[in-house]
Amino acid sequence: QTNVSNTADIPSTGTRNSSRRATDSIIYLTHDEKSTIDLFEKSAPSVCYITTINQQRDMWSRNITEIPSGSGSGFIWDTQGHIITNYHVIQNGTKLKVTLSDRTSWDAEVVGIEPNKDLAVLKVKTKPGALRPIPLGQSSTLKVGQSVYAIGNPFGLDQSLTTGVISALGREIISVGGRPIRDVIQTDAAINPGNSGGPLLDSYGRLIGVNTMIYSPSGASAGIGFSIPVDEVNWVVSDLIKYGEVKRPKIGIELLPPQYAQNWGIEGAMIMGIVPGGGAEQAGLRALEQTRNGEIIFGDIITEVNGSKITNNNDLFLLLEKYNPGDKIKVKYLRNEQEKTAEVVLGV
């Protein structure tokens, strides 16, 4: 039987492989190829594979069975063992395992989660020197058309590299927690199930985003993927490591649910309740009231903070992320259809 391949015929010697062609020698790799190979070899040790496990107890034998329930990607944040991934990667697991690039697996504990940013911080205890933190970049200086690289575990195939460009900036997606994530990076680098939680890198191998989702009716890459920008990741992760939660500054109010605001045609963020002793109470803001005969008196409707327009509750939530507890903000609001202003000191 004759074997068919892509190389030139070799004179027959009567052996089975006599018709195989000789291999053509390679002259060189292009500069772009060398750069991509170098980037992958340097970055891959910082990327890990995350497996979520559900533990089930047999009601008769009381034995515990561990069943893998999902997988995703993550990356090493620091030498203390902190691992970053998406919240939706771990949300259904009762036990977590992190597999490093050297194929060693480690039990992981949850340090903190932020569903509204689809981010989670895990921690593993490994042997000294086993962790290589990923270099950190900046997302505020990114440009459309810039080359990007995604490393992850699509469909469970670990240490996979895809390349592309930044297709758009300033996109908005809805998080697992139901709130929008703004200024998201859109890329055409192939992102598939299992890539979630993995890093998006620039051409220097620096982290510029965390891959979080794809936009595809089939669930597979269709040329549109989204990543949470690293500038946002940095402050969220720092809070999660330090406090176990995100320490957002607070005005000291409860807001009217969006469905009521929409039904009543309210543009802005209406105050439904006031936290005793908070900044809003001290500034004299008022909450919604209901009289004894059932009449509803609208609370103050916040329409602007430090010159930025507020059209709904999410606008206010996202704007407050730019400030710290103790900061003083200027709030414009409507009371009985009259515009008023107040200075509010943000709390914790």
Side-chain angles (χ1 to χ4, degrees):
Q1 180 178 349
T2 302
N3 293 324
V4 178
S5 68
N6 295 325
T7 48
D9 289 338
I10 300 173
S12 175
T13 59
T15 64
R16 180 181 179 186
N17 297 325
S18 61
S19 61
R20 289 186 177 177
R21 293 180 54 187
T23 303
D24 295 326
S25 61
I26 185 170
I27 301 174
Y28 61 86
L29 294 172
T30 66
H31 175 73
D32 288 345
E33 288 174 328
K34 288 180 180 179
S35 297
T36 302
I37 292 168
D38 184 57
L39 180 145
F40 176 76
E41 291 178 347
K42 288 181 177 178
S43 302
S46 300
V47 183
C48 51
Y49 183 66
I50 296 173
T51 306
T52 58
I53 299 170
N54 282 327
Q55 295 178 322
Q56 296 182 357
R57 184 185 295 273
D58 187 278
M59 63 179 296
W60 303 110
S61 68
R62 312 305 292 172
N63 292 333
I64 295 176
T65 304
E66 294 186 344
I67 303 173
S69 60
S71 63
S73 304
F75 55 90
I76 300 167
W77 184 257
D78 55 30
T79 56
Q80 284 72 52
H82 292 112
I83 307 294
I84 312 305
T85 187
N86 285 149
Y87 167 70
H88 79 258
V89 169
I90 68 164
Q91 65 175 329
N92 295 321
T94 55
K95 186 177 179 181
L96 304 170
K97 278 193 174 292
V98 171
T99 303
L100 303 178
S101 62
D102 61 3
R103 304 289 182 173
T104 59
S105 291
W106 306 85
D107 290 334
E109 63 179 15
V110 178
V111 173
I113 59 173
E114 179 46 274
N116 292 321
K117 298 297 180 185
D118 198 16
L119 291 171
V121 178
L122 313 179
K123 191 171 185 179
V124 295
K125 294 180 180 179
T126 65
K127 56 188 178 183
L131 301 177
R132 184 188 295 183
I134 200 160
L136 209 61
Q138 190 175 5
S139 52
S140 60
T141 58
L142 296 177
K143 303 291 184 183
V144 173
Q146 187 173 328
S147 296
V148 291
Y149 306 82
I151 302 178
N153 307 283
F155 305 108
L157 303 171
D158 63 336
Q159 299 292 297
S160 297
L161 170 72
T162 58
T163 66
V165 297
I166 294 176
S167 306
L169 295 167
R171 296 302 196 205
E172 181 176 305
I173 60 174
I174 301 300
S175 69
V176 180
R179 289 187 186 169
I181 307 175
R182 289 184 177 167
D183 297 325
V184 168
I185 302 165
Q186 179 186 323
T187 176
D188 68 349
I191 296 174
N192 286 293
N195 272 113
S196 290
L200 187 71
L201 308 172
D202 64 11
S203 55
Y204 293 95
R206 301 179 306 171
L207 178 73
I208 57 172
V210 177
N211 300 321
T212 185
M213 65 175 292
I214 54 175
Y215 183 78
S216 168
S218 67
S221 177
I224 300 178
F226 298 104
S227 300
I228 306 166
V230 68
D231 293 348
E232 192 150 346
V233 173
N234 201 355
W235 74 263
V236 171
V237 167
S238 298
D239 271 12
L240 292 179
I241 291 174
K242 189 173 182 179
Y243 307 111
E245 62 180 357
V246 173
K247 290 286 188 179
R248 287 187 177 85
K250 298 176 181 177
I251 295 181
I253 58 176
E254 296 175 11
L255 296 175
L256 184 73
Q259 59 268 31
Y260 291 105
Q262 187 175 8
N263 290 339
W264 293 347
I266 295 170
E267 185 172 344
M270 179 185 285
I271 301 174
M272 189 174 72
I274 297 284
V275 178
E281 183 183 60
Q282 295 176 19
L285 296 177
R286 295 181 186 173
L288 180 146
E289 297 179 17
Q290 189 169 11
T291 64
R292 290 182 178 179
N293 60 8
E295 181 186 359
I296 293 176
I297 302 174
F298 277 5
D300 293 337
I301 302 171
I302 298 174
T303 58
E304 193 174 293
V305 171
N306 283 356
S308 295
K309 190 175 181 181
I310 305 296
T311 59
N312 53 47
N313 294 358
N314 284 326
D315 285 344
L316 184 58
F317 291 136
L318 294 170
L319 185 66
L320 290 178
E321 292 175 355
K322 300 178 181 179
Y323 299 95
N324 298 306
D327 288 349
K328 186 180 290 187
I329 60 173
K330 185 178 180 180
V331 175
K332 280 188 179 181
Y333 60 95
L334 293 175
R335 178 182 293 172
N336 298 326
E337 299 184 354
Q338 293 185 348
E339 189 173 78
K340 297 179 178 293
T341 60
E343 287 191 339
V344 179
V345 178
L346 298 175
V348 292

